[in-house]
């Protein structure tokens, strides 16, 4: 899948058709390098996703690697 940017927010990805529940599940995984919070990391900070790592995760999840 092609993404318009290398780093995208949770809101941008949900607008592309991703499930918010699925993205938050990825964000809450231990030892993942796909998503992080910007700013000071507070309750209302924006969650960012590396689209390259997100795509690797999606492919691995589909193939069962």
């Amino acid at each position: 899948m092609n993404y318009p940017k290398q780093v995208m927010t949770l809101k941008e990805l949900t607008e592309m058709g991703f499930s918010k529940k699925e993205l938050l599940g990825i964000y809450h995984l231990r030892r993942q390098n796909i998503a992080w919070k910007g700013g000071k990391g507070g309750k209302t900070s924006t969650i960012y996703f590396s689209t390259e790592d997100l795509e690797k995760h999606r492919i691995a999840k589909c193939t069962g690697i």
Side-chain angles (χ1 to χ4, degrees), residues 11-45:
K11 184 178 178 182
E12 291 172 330
L13 289 169
T14 54
E15 288 173 356
M16 284 183 63
F18 285 94
S19 161
K20 184 174 182 177
K21 183 178 177 181
E22 179 184 4
L23 292 171
L24 287 175
I26 292 169
Y27 170 72
H28 289 293
L29 288 174
R30 287 181 172 244
R31 293 183 226 139
Q32 54 85 10
N33 61 347
I34 302 167
W36 64 93
K37 278 197 173 184
K40 295 182 180 179
K43 189 174 183 178
T44 59
S45 294

Side-chain angles (χ1 to χ4, degrees), residues 1-2 5-8 11-13 15 17-18 21 23 26 31-32 35 37 39 43 47 50-52 55 58-59 65:
M1 181 174 200
N2 293 326
K5 302 182 208 172
Q6 286 186 325
V7 175
M8 296 180 73
K11 184 178 178 182
E12 291 172 330
L13 289 169
E15 288 173 356
F18 285 94
K21 183 178 177 181
L23 292 171
I26 292 169
R31 293 183 226 139
Q32 54 85 10
K37 278 197 173 184
K43 189 174 183 178
I47 299 175
S50 165
T51 54
E52 182 180 328
E55 188 62 20
R58 284 181 6 97
I59 291 170
I65 295 175

